[in-house]
Amino acid sequence: MKVLDPFAGSGTVLIESARIGISSYGCEINFKIEGSQKINSIKCYTTRPDTLFGFSFLAVSVDHPISKYFEKDSKFAQFKKECSKTGTTEESIAQGEKIGFKTKLLAINPLNPKQKVPVYFANFVLMDYGFGAVFGCPAHDQRDLDFALKYDLKVKPVVKPLETDDSFEIKDTAYTGPGKIYNSKFLNDLKVPNESISKTIEILEQKKIGEKKINFRLKDWGVSRQRYWGCPIPIAYNKKNEIVKVPIDKLPIKLPEKIDLNVNGNPLDHQHEWKKIIINGEECTLETDTLDTFVDSSWYFFRFCSPKNNLYGFDVKDINYWMPVDQYIGGVEHAILHLLYSRFFTKALAYKDDNFLTNEPFNGLFTQGMVCHETYKIGNEWISPDEVTSDNGKDFFLKSNLEKKVVVGPSESMSKSKKNTIDPEIMIEKFGADAVRFFILSDSPPEKDVQWSEQGMQASFKFVQKFWNLNSELDKKLNLKISEQNLENKIDIEISTFVNQIIQKITYNLENFHYNVIIANFHEIYNFFSKIINEENLNLKNLKENYINILHSMKPVLPHLISECLENFNVIDIQTWPKIKNEYLDQKSINIVVQINGKKRSVIKCKKDILESDLMTIINDNADLQKYFKEKKIFKKFYIKNKIINLILK
């Protein structure tokens, strides 16, 4: 990695690196071309040379060098104009319609010279990757398949799943998974991808018609922005417009606090007094571009390691002790962009520095979903949820003008542009931080999108209140004289068993990011203690010990509520995780859900690890279930041990 001087010129600041971008392992192939005296070959880069026997077309970018031979073709000019309307991002290309311009050129398959396929200009091929040319294998690339189906091109599968025979076919979905090569002569039976790619490249190199390559998609990286918000860049310009470094004694450069943001262009350009700075006795002008916020956010975790270091951003010794971070959790967009930047900064800092031992910033990655909300519009104008009201939940109107009806759109990721955002501070002020956190965790698995709803927030708030009331009742009961009796009766064993098993579940779910399941565990806790509190002859010492352990296990999700609960019991709020007593973990009996045709019909209590045959005996003896069996027979059975059995009746 080579990092060039980021301050090598005025205007937009660039950082350029030979390793910024995406790399891929593949092969360069020269396809011989027929049909033109001027075009003899077209070079192509591919990551899947093992699918060459499924070759049905060659596609090139409209900006490919061969396009100069088609400039006088009016139809090509029109096609090129049409292509310019398509976005150039991978997302827009993937979602957009695939269009092509057929040439009179023919490309020859290097592994099967008798095969000649048409050459197209295509809107989904870009010049900034490879050589601006791709060979199309429709059976094993969805983009290629969409194109082939549109232009009635041959679709020949050459990779089949391991469990299928040679009759495997492709219809409207390309097969991109592992398997074996077939329909490919001397490549047949090679395992995909472990053997097929490397072996095919080896054959191509032996025949001198291909070469193994690692390809990089590289782009210049603009890190500065023409806006107020951002970190000031510590450079200035003298009267000769030469770059001058801002000395350490004049750092940090602080942004002006009183500033008019309603101006054209960069607001800092208009701060004439702020821009003035004396360096070495000479009046200079500060750089008014600021660094994009990701420049700060890409290394903040290093600062956490040395928060009191006033000379430098961090101490390498501290970095080596604390880093890397055990677990990175971020949204989909965050994980893609912020993670990329963070890794780049870390690797740049560690580059050729033997003292810097951290090469990766994070040990683990977990990608959470986006927070979504309905969108609202009046005409072409987006409306904020705070501006909308409804009496019946169906018809929505503008709060400031009830005669104006609001059109409700689909639930989408919250964004400022569509104004479908919820201010978390308002929610926290209204419901409390615990309730907001509880709702976000409860709505769905963390890797899925969260659908924000006022009803869901109300339900979470209600649970927090219910649990506080339960805690107050238990506090009254447990403040009575606590018995010193030993654990003897059935109810005491039941309490200890439940608590230790639920803490085990919570521990597992925390470690595996099953946060929505933890919320379900909390409801179990509430229901159990709501029932148990009314039992007679309780061993209060045992109850208190178990209940406090439960509270400690709930603290990561409801820290404020649980701290108050513990304080009621005069318990020191320690940070240790409750210990699980293994003697209470062995279940002698379990509950198994019985489904009939996919619908829950009963829950049967039986011994742990029960055999399917024994379970069916219990089901057949169950009078409540037998009504579903009238004049029907069991077609199929699906039994998940110790959890569920589903009977398909016909």
Side-chain angles (χ1 to χ4, degrees), residues 578-593:
K579 293 182 180 179
I580 298 171
K581 296 179 180 179
N582 292 325
E583 61 264 31
Y584 295 106
L585 298 183
D586 293 330
Q587 291 178 277
K588 294 180 181 179
S589 63
I590 55 164
N591 292 324
I592 292 180
V593 175

Side-chain angles (χ1 to χ4, degrees), residues 157-174:
V158 291
V159 179
K160 62 178 181 180
L162 293 172
E163 66 273 13
T164 61
D165 57 26
D166 290 358
S167 63
F168 176 68
E169 294 181 350
I170 298 293
K171 293 182 179 180
D172 56 1
T173 303

Side-chain angles (χ1 to χ4, degrees), residues 427 430-431 435 439 452-465:
M427 290 295 105
K430 185 176 180 180
F431 297 107
F439 167 69
W452 189 275
S453 73
E454 184 75 15
Q455 296 82 359
M457 253 324 317
Q458 292 282 0
S460 297
F461 177 73
K462 186 177 179 181
F463 177 84
V464 172
Q465 299 304 311

Side-chain angles (χ1 to χ4, degrees), residues 531-584:
K531 181 187 73 174
I532 220 74
I533 196 173
N534 298 314
E535 294 285 342
E536 297 181 357
N537 301 319
L538 283 171
N539 183 338
L540 297 183
K541 183 181 180 182
N542 177 67
L543 177 60
K544 184 175 183 178
E545 180 185 322
N546 278 291
Y547 180 65
I548 288 172
N549 277 343
I550 279 288
L551 291 178
H552 283 306
S553 72
M554 296 174 71
K555 191 162 185 260
V557 176
L558 300 168
H560 304 289
L561 171 67
I562 300 305
S563 293
E564 292 287 338
C565 291
L566 289 168
E567 190 174 316
N568 277 8
F569 290 100
N570 298 316
V571 175
I572 299 174
D573 194 1
I574 55 175
Q575 301 300 314
T576 55
W577 193 249
K579 293 182 180 179
I580 298 171
K581 296 179 180 179
N582 292 325
E583 61 264 31
Y584 295 106

Side-chain angles (χ1 to χ4, degrees), residues 329 366 368-369 371 433-452 456-457 460 509-510 513-523 553-559:
I329 301 176
F366 184 85
Q368 65 189 34
V371 182
D434 279 350
V436 174
R437 186 185 301 103
F438 193 88
F439 167 69
I440 292 172
L441 296 179
S442 67
D443 191 65
S444 60
E447 67 272 16
K448 303 294 184 182
D449 291 344
V450 175
Q451 302 299 324
W452 189 275
M457 253 324 317
S460 297
N509 291 327
L510 272 174
F513 308 105
H514 299 164
Y515 300 132
N516 61 313
V517 183
I518 292 175
I519 303 305
N521 296 149
F522 284 12
H523 283 284
S553 72
M554 296 174 71
K555 191 162 185 260
V557 176
L558 300 168

Side-chain angles (χ1 to χ4, degrees), residues 20-235:
I20 295 176
I22 302 170
S23 66
S24 59
Y25 156 70
C27 184
E28 288 180 5
I29 303 172
N30 242 347
F31 288 88
K32 291 182 180 180
I33 301 297
E34 288 185 358
S36 172
Q37 293 181 345
K38 297 177 180 179
I39 306 169
N40 299 315
S41 65
I42 295 176
K43 187 177 282 189
C44 174
Y45 174 80
T46 177
T47 58
R48 293 300 307 273
D50 54 336
T51 61
L52 267 168
F53 282 97
F55 182 34
S56 71
F57 67 91
L58 188 72
V60 298
S61 167
V62 292
D63 298 314
H64 194 277
I66 71 166
S67 65
K68 64 184 179 182
Y69 300 113
F70 296 83
E71 289 174 348
K72 295 180 181 179
D73 188 328
S74 60
K75 291 182 178 178
F76 175 72
Q78 181 60 37
F79 173 76
K80 191 172 181 179
K81 186 179 179 181
E82 196 65 28
C83 288
S84 66
K85 298 176 183 179
T86 306
T88 58
T89 65
E90 290 194 17
E91 183 182 6
S92 62
I93 291 171
Q95 295 178 354
E97 183 186 4
K98 313 299 183 294
I99 57 174
F101 178 85
K102 189 178 182 181
T103 71
K104 294 180 180 180
L105 304 176
L106 294 174
I108 300 171
N109 190 335
L111 293 182
N112 184 20
K114 293 182 180 180
Q115 184 191 15
K116 301 174 183 180
V117 303
V119 177
Y120 284 82
F121 288 99
N123 66 333
F124 59 84
V125 184
L126 302 176
M127 276 304 300
D128 64 352
Y129 182 69
F131 300 99
V134 298
F135 87 82
C137 179
H140 306 294
D141 185 285
Q142 191 61 45
R143 178 194 59 187
D144 293 351
L145 180 60
D146 295 340
F147 188 82
L149 293 175
K150 180 171 182 171
Y151 293 101
D152 198 25
L153 299 170
K154 189 175 180 180
V155 179
K156 178 185 177 182
V158 291
V159 179
K160 62 178 181 180
L162 293 172
E163 66 273 13
T164 61
D165 57 26
D166 290 358
S167 63
F168 176 68
E169 294 181 350
I170 298 293
K171 293 182 179 180
D172 56 1
T173 303
Y175 180 70
T176 58
K180 276 189 177 183
I181 298 290
Y182 78 125
N183 288 336
S184 301
K185 298 183 178 180
F186 48 84
L187 299 181
N188 286 341
D189 295 325
L190 289 174
K191 291 182 180 179
V192 179
N194 297 337
E195 297 175 349
S196 60
I197 296 174
S198 58
K199 185 64 179 177
T200 305
I201 293 175
E202 184 183 325
I203 292 170
L204 289 167
E205 287 185 323
Q206 287 174 355
K207 293 178 179 288
K208 296 183 178 180
I209 52 178
E211 186 179 359
K212 179 180 177 182
K213 288 286 183 179
I214 295 176
N215 195 35
F216 294 93
R217 286 197 225 184
L218 305 178
K219 289 187 177 181
D220 290 337
W221 193 7
V223 300
S224 69
R225 300 291 185 268
Q226 292 73 48
R227 61 189 180 202
Y228 173 74
W229 299 109
C231 182
I233 300 171
I235 63 172

